[in-house]
Amino acid sequence: MSALLEQLIDALRVLPGVGPKSAQRMAYHVLERERAGGQRLSEALAAAVEKIGHCERCRDFSETPVCATCASASRDAHLLCVVESPADRLAIEQATGYRGLYYVLQGRLSPLDGIGPRELGLDRLSERLAQGEVQELIIATNPTVEGEATAHYLAQLARQQRVRPSRLAHGVPLGGELEYVDRGTLSHAFGSRSEMVD
Amino acid sequence: MSALLEQLIDALRVLPGVGPKSAQRMAYHVLERERAGGQRLSEALAAAVEKIGHCERCRDFSETPVCATCASASRDAHLLCVVESPADRLAIEQATGYRGLYYVLQGRLSPLDGIGPRELGLDRLSERLAQGEVQELIIATNPTVEGEATAHYLAQLARQQRVRPSRLAHGVPLGGELEYVDRGTLSHAFGSRSEMVD
């Protein structure tokens, strides 16, 4: 087999869920039928990897220092919704009518993996809460063990700064991932979020 | 969402079996965890699309005018195996001990789609058979209606040039259960049963 083809098949395996067989099928498909699309994908990948960084305010992916949502004057700065990943943020944005701001942890507390509050930028989140603009911190971490621990930590952080913490309502299936919850369930859970008390 | 990110998600859908949701998951995965791999994939795609063409002799993918298999002195030039696609060629190469040469149609006869003998390079295949080096043409097109029609055409072509045509055996797949084999296959396998000798 052509060395370049082998390299392509190997490189495709970087994509999640792509094993040797599907990588091979993808490579052949692109070469047989989609060379222009393959070229476009190559350019889109290079541009994304090079230019997409993180928003200074919310840590979501952004190609500008501050992302469009954080820069928007029409979003309600009194509400801040904390999610684990950009995909979770997108799922909430698409499923609900939420008009507040977001904070993307890009992970969850996981001491065994060396991921503590600092790695998630919680020091900067705390400073932001201290500024007094945020009134409610909507905690939308995943309903997993680590997500719940992170939610607990975030609720404490909020209370320290006299910000009201809330969390999504039950209805999100336990053990699931927000990204894969159907819109109706997600919208309902988002609407009936409840205040956290301990 | 970042425009570059949207472009990337859209571009990923060129890959077979990748819908909007998996494209999104792939894009986030690359940006979150595999930027170096994404860069490598971008380069591999660009190089493959630009440099991989077709071997002059067998029409398989190749980055050189003649592919390594066709150029090899250790392959038996008396045997020529015709397959529909590069993936079929690879499957045979990996599964069998075949040491002859290949001819890759890059398709199958399909008059309704405007794919005739010329589009599959059968004029050049005929010339090659006329040269007298090939003694057996092993026809390994897929056992579909169009593949069978193509096999028929190829067998005629071979006989015209006094080359012996052969085809893969059809029958019950190894490791399969009779109960689940389709009727056509079972009927064929039953009809062409062979005597057991030990």
Side-chain angles (χ1 to χ4, degrees), chain A residues 1-5 14 24 28-29 31-32 34-35 42 46 49 51-52 61 63 86-87 90 179-180, chain B residues 1-5 14 21 24-25 28-29 31-32 34-35 42 45-46 49 51-52 61 63 86-87 90:
Chain A
M1 196 195 298
S2 145
L4 288 176
L5 185 54
V14 80
Q24 183 190 310
Y28 281 135
H29 178 86
L31 287 173
E32 280 166 21
E34 292 279 7
R35 291 198 177 224
S42 163
V49 165
K51 296 189 187 138
I52 297 182
F61 290 127
E63 59 203 83
L90 183 66
E179 193 182 340
Y180 300 106
Chain B
M1 196 197 295
S2 146
L4 288 177
L5 186 54
V14 80
K21 201 81 189 174
Q24 182 190 309
R25 196 161 58 92
Y28 281 134
H29 178 86
L31 288 172
E32 279 166 22
E34 292 280 8
R35 290 197 178 224
S42 164
L45 261 172
V49 165
K51 297 189 187 138
I52 296 181
F61 291 126
E63 58 202 84
L90 184 64

Side-chain angles (χ1 to χ4, degrees), chain B residues 57-78:
Chain B
R57 286 181 62 76
C58 73
R59 292 167 55 102
D60 194 6
F61 291 126
S62 173
E63 58 202 84
T64 47
V66 173
C67 76
T69 305
C70 287
S72 165
S74 71
R75 308 287 304 209
D76 182 353
H78 297 129

Side-chain angles (χ1 to χ4, degrees), chain A residues 9-189:
Chain A
I9 292 174
D10 189 58
L12 278 164
R13 298 195 51 195
V14 80
L15 300 174
V18 176
K21 202 80 189 178
S22 16
Q24 183 190 310
R25 197 160 57 91
M26 286 174 169
Y28 281 135
H29 178 86
V30 167
L31 287 173
E32 280 166 21
R33 279 184 283 269
E34 292 279 7
R35 291 198 177 224
Q39 183 61 43
R40 211 165 55 236
L41 175 55
S42 163
E43 287 158 13
L45 262 172
V49 165
E50 190 196 328
K51 296 189 187 138
I52 297 182
H54 296 282
C55 168
E56 285 170 6
R57 286 181 63 75
C58 73
R59 293 167 53 103
D60 193 7
F61 290 127
S62 173
E63 59 203 83
T64 48
V66 174
C67 75
T69 306
C70 287
S72 165
S74 72
R75 309 285 302 210
D76 183 352
H78 296 129
L79 298 175
L80 188 63
C81 176
V82 186
V83 292
E84 290 184 21
S85 74
D88 294 340
R89 178 207 167 285
L90 183 66
I92 289 178
E93 185 73 7
Q94 286 175 342
T96 72
Y98 180 60
R99 299 295 301 159
L101 296 174
Y102 293 95
Y103 196 84
V104 182
L105 298 174
Q106 300 278 6
R108 61 209 70 85
L109 287 179
S110 180
L112 290 179
D113 302 316
I115 299 176
R118 254 194 34 169
E119 282 69 27
L120 303 182
L122 298 190
D123 38 355
R124 275 167 48 211
L125 175 62
S126 181
E127 285 166 27
R128 182 161 169 188
L129 297 180
Q131 286 162 14
E133 196 172 32
V134 177
Q135 291 170 359
E136 179 181 352
L137 189 73
I138 304 168
I139 300 169
T141 52
N142 286 322
T144 58
V145 175
E146 288 173 344
E148 294 286 305
T150 309
H152 240 73
Y153 188 95
L154 287 166
Q156 284 183 328
L157 208 72
R159 283 189 209 99
Q160 279 165 14
Q161 307 295 349
R162 303 189 183 288
V163 172
R164 190 155 36 94
S166 64
R167 66 193 303 200
L168 300 199
H170 285 301
V172 178
L174 290 179
E177 304 243 357
L178 280 193
E179 193 182 340
Y180 300 106
V181 171
D182 72 280
R183 288 178 176 216
T185 308
L186 189 56
S187 178
H188 174 85

